[in-house]
């Protein structure tokens, strides 16, 4: 039986696409093995969101070539789409696929076995107008699964390379989404995450359906108890969206709402389509409509031209909003984007300093949010055992919980008392020195 190994870099969309390709190889009779083992085929699913992502992608390609020089090395994903010539220049690469044509990867690998040189099927992604359907027929685990509903982005923020790597918005057919979520439910999954490159744009290319419509359809599927969304734009959360989503109890009270900067002048340079006042109003309306909602975000520090005063405005704004979690990124110039040519690029040491300051605020806000839940009883979906007798899971509003149990509670939703906040999690209910289950909510 031939063996194939995968290495995936980057976002949840990449992870989903790798899982889909794994299924294609499995159906073709391949054994899936860890990347560290000898294999007949290595697939590296690349990322290009930062310079570090590019470098890591190249490192993993070269590692695969060294591990087995006789193996077929197939490279796909965003870095390949954006810089096909760079990938082809790496000795030992046999096949490159961009962000389309992944559904043909098994056939292309077979073709590469007899080819005289590398096969390049990277196409101009700007001309791709339809969603690439790669249905996942089998699933690993029984807890939480990601479902890709959309590909592409047409926002063209001045700092972001992704629209150039992913192409225009392509929405997945509603029935295909419903069918996949139904299979997930039948396989025992209780939580699904609707994901995409720009989820907020779902349905834009269809005209008669939007993101809230597909959420409502998924909400009707029996057996699914939790629905989450990947990162969304703040402007998505208008009055109608909030009114409809608050009536859907399966939708988790957790929204990752992109911010990037808490300063209006920086937001304009970034090409973002909202102001801090709009953002604040959206968060306030969301919190008023949905109790205990967690709002998480992304922040870029050191964007070109960012002054000390502009950075201080962002610091003040994130404190005012009170995010439960923040992902902090120092700005990384991407060749081919407008911001890479902007004047007044911020020196690396200042970006690093600002990143440390923002991360400190992020830790303080996260701890404050967790501490506000101490003593409460909240349902937790436990995902897996992390060490002997200790299991981890998530509350609906995305607090990580660790609890001890003498029985396997993976995949179960259990009401747990939140007792003690640590750096990155809360310990589940303690009674007489023991962690215990208060109530099993699914009987």
């Amino acid at each position: 039986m031939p063996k194939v190994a995968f290495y995936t870099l980057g976002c949840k969309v990449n992870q989903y696409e790798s899982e889909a390709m794994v299924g294609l190889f499995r159906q073709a009779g391949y054994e899936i093995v860890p990347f560290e083992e000898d294999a007949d085929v290595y697939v590296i699913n690349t990322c290009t969101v930062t310079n570090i992502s590019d470098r890591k992608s190249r490192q993993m390609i070269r590692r695969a070539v060294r591990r087995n020089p006789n193996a077929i090395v197939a490279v796909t994903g965003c870095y390949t789409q954006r810089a096909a010539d760079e990938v082809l220049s790496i000795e030992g690469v046999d096949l490159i696929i961009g962000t389309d044509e992944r559904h043909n990867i098994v056939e292309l690998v077979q073709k590469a076995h007899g080819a005289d040189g590398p096969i390049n099927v990277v196409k101009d992604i700007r001309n791709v107008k339809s969603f690439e359907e790669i249905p996942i027929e089998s699933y690993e685990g029984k807890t939480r699964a990601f479902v890709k509903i959309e590909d592409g982005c047409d926002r063209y923020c001045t700092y972001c390379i992704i629209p150039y790597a992913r192409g225009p918005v392509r929405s997945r057919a509603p029935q295909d989404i419903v069918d996949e979520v139904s299979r997930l439910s039948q396989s025992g999954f209780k939580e699904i995450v609707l994901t995409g490159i720009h989820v907020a744009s779902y349905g834009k290319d269809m005209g008669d359906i939007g993101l809230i419509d597909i959420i409502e359809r998924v909400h009707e599927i029996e057996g699914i108890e939790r629905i989450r969304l990947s990162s969304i734009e703040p402007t998505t959360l208008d009055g109608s969206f909030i009114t409809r989503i608050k009536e859907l109890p399966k939708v988790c009270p957790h929204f990752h709402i992109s911010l990037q900067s808490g300063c209006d002048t920086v937001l304009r340079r970034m090409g973002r389509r909202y102001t801090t006042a709009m953002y604040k109003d959206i968060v306030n309306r969301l919190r008023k409509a949905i109790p205990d909602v967690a709002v998480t975000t992304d922040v870029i520090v050191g964007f070109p031209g960012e002054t000390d005063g502009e950075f201080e405005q962002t610091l003040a704004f994130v404190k005012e909003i009170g995010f439960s979690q923040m992902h902090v990124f120092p700005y990384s110039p991407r060749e081919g984007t407008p911001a890479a040519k902007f004047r007044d690029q911020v020196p690396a040491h200042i970006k690093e300093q600002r990143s440390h300051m923002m991360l400190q605020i992020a830790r303080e806000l996260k701890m404050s949010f967790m501490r506000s839940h101490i003593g409460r009883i909240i349902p937790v979906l436990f995902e897996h055992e992390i060490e002997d007798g200790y299991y981890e899971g998530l509350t609906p509003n995305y607090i990580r919980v660790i609890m001890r149990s003498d029985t396997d509670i993976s995949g179960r939703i259990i009401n747990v008392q939140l007792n003690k906040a640590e750096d990155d999690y809360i310990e589940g209910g303690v009674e007489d020195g023991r962690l215990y289950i208060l109530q099993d909510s699914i009987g």
Side-chain angles (χ1 to χ4, degrees):
M1 178 183 292
K3 297 178 180 181
V4 60
F6 277 75
Y7 194 94
T8 304
L9 299 103
C11 66
K12 299 300 183 183
V13 174
N14 264 19
Q15 294 177 34
Y16 174 91
E17 290 164 349
S18 286
E19 187 64 29
M21 289 185 284
V22 164
L24 295 176
F25 278 99
R26 187 176 283 121
Q27 292 170 21
Y30 282 76
E31 178 186 355
I32 314 302
V33 300
F35 191 78
E36 295 74 20
E37 294 185 9
D38 285 340
D40 302 290
V41 179
Y42 291 95
V43 179
I44 298 91
N45 194 357
T46 63
C47 175
T48 194
V49 71
T50 66
N51 291 323
I52 294 174
S53 303
D54 289 354
R55 185 167 66 248
K56 181 70 171 178
S57 296
R58 292 190 294 269
Q59 288 174 347
M60 300 317 297
I61 294 167
R62 293 188 176 103
R63 186 175 298 179
V65 173
R66 288 195 302 270
R67 183 160 289 126
N68 184 358
N70 296 318
I72 295 295
V73 176
V75 188
T76 184
C78 291
Y79 176 51
T80 310
Q81 180 67 51
R82 188 188 66 81
D85 289 343
E86 289 183 22
V87 177
L88 281 174
S89 70
I90 300 174
E91 187 175 353
V93 170
D94 300 288
L95 168 66
I96 66 169
I97 307 172
T99 51
D100 198 52
E101 294 294 334
R102 276 78 54 89
H103 64 286
N104 289 324
I105 189 169
V106 175
E107 291 78 7
L108 289 167
V109 163
Q110 295 299 328
K111 186 178 178 181
H113 276 289
D116 294 332
I119 296 176
N120 177 4
V121 295
V122 176
K123 62 177 68 172
D124 188 341
I125 199 66
R126 295 172 297 180
N127 297 327
V128 177
K129 305 300 182 184
S130 60
F131 182 90
E132 183 183 22
E133 182 70 23
I134 317 177
I136 297 180
E137 301 297 339
S138 61
Y139 306 89
E140 299 295 327
K142 289 188 179 295
T143 304
R144 179 167 44 143
F146 291 84
V147 176
K148 182 182 172 186
I149 67 170
E150 177 273 342
D151 206 340
C153 179
D154 61 4
R155 301 281 96 176
Y156 288 95
C157 298
T158 61
Y159 56 84
C160 187
I161 196 69
I162 296 305
Y164 306 91
R166 283 286 179 166
V169 172
R170 287 100 70 201
S171 301
R172 190 177 186 184
Q175 193 57 50
D176 290 338
I177 297 171
V178 170
D179 289 345
E180 180 163 323
V181 175
S182 297
R183 291 195 299 270
L184 284 165
S185 176
Q186 293 164 11
S187 297
F189 285 88
K190 293 182 174 63
E191 179 178 311
I192 59 105
V193 182
L194 301 180
T195 191
I197 297 302
H198 194 259
V199 168
S201 291
Y202 178 81
K204 179 180 178 180
D205 53 327
M206 294 179 172
D208 58 350
I209 190 171
L211 177 60
I212 187 63
D213 301 301
I214 196 63
I215 294 171
E216 289 174 340
R217 290 191 61 174
V218 169
H219 194 273
E220 297 173 359
I221 297 172
E222 187 176 351
I224 297 299
E225 299 188 32
R226 289 184 176 184
I227 301 169
R228 294 190 192 273
L229 304 176
S230 61
S231 178
I232 57 175
E233 293 288 307
T235 51
T236 306
L237 296 166
D238 58 19
S240 174
F241 189 97
I242 293 175
T243 297
R244 290 169 69 178
I245 208 162
K246 74 177 184 180
E247 300 300 324
L248 304 176
K250 292 182 181 180
V251 176
C252 290
H254 166 230
F255 296 88
H256 190 85
I257 310 173
S258 301
L259 174 63
Q260 309 304 1
S261 175
C263 173
D264 287 338
T265 52
V266 176
L267 287 173
R268 284 196 294 271
R269 295 201 299 275
M270 288 179 166
R272 305 295 284 176
R273 305 184 186 191
Y274 52 85
T275 65
T276 54
M278 292 167 60
Y279 192 102
K280 180 180 176 181
D281 179 63
I282 288 163
V283 171
N284 287 342
R285 286 191 281 119
L286 188 62
R287 285 173 169 162
K288 183 177 179 180
I290 303 175
D292 294 327
V293 66
V295 179
T296 59
T297 200
D298 302 313
V299 175
I300 296 173
V301 299
F303 189 73
E306 184 184 62
T307 64
D308 289 342
E310 288 174 328
F311 176 67
E312 291 293 337
Q313 287 183 47
T314 297
L315 278 178
F317 188 75
V318 301
K319 291 177 184 177
E320 181 181 10
I321 295 297
F323 294 103
S324 59
Q325 287 190 43
M326 291 165 48
H327 298 154
V328 179
F329 304 94
Y331 169 71
S332 175
R334 307 303 292 127
E335 183 180 352
T337 63
K341 299 179 181 179
F342 284 0
R343 296 179 179 179
D344 301 323
Q345 296 286 327
V346 177
H349 72 278
I350 294 179
K351 287 192 284 189
E352 183 178 359
Q353 181 184 53
R354 291 176 181 174
S355 180
H356 285 313
M357 293 173 67
M358 190 64 71
L359 284 169
Q360 179 59 36
I361 298 300
R363 285 189 288 269
E364 292 171 4
L365 292 175
K366 181 176 182 178
M367 183 59 69
S368 176
F369 183 75
M370 291 196 300
R371 284 174 177 162
S372 71
H373 289 71
I374 296 301
R376 298 175 58 183
I377 297 173
I378 297 180
V380 176
L381 173 56
F382 285 95
E383 298 187 353
H384 53 81
E385 187 178 17
I386 56 172
E387 59 181 76
D388 292 344
Y390 287 89
Y391 295 79
E392 74 171 0
L394 292 172
T395 66
N397 57 357
Y398 214 67
I399 296 174
R400 183 168 171 251
V401 176
I402 306 294
M403 190 174 77
R404 191 187 188 309
S405 174
D406 293 332
T407 60
D408 186 353
I409 55 175
S410 302
R412 298 174 69 186
I413 297 178
I414 297 167
N415 286 342
V416 175
Q417 179 172 300
L418 306 185
N419 235 27
K420 182 182 178 183
E422 300 291 349
D423 288 343
D424 195 42
Y425 64 91
I426 292 181
E427 291 183 358
V430 176
E431 181 179 61
D432 298 330
R434 287 200 49 169
L435 295 162
Y436 70 105
I437 299 172
L438 293 177
Q439 176 188 344
D440 189 333
S441 65
I442 57 173

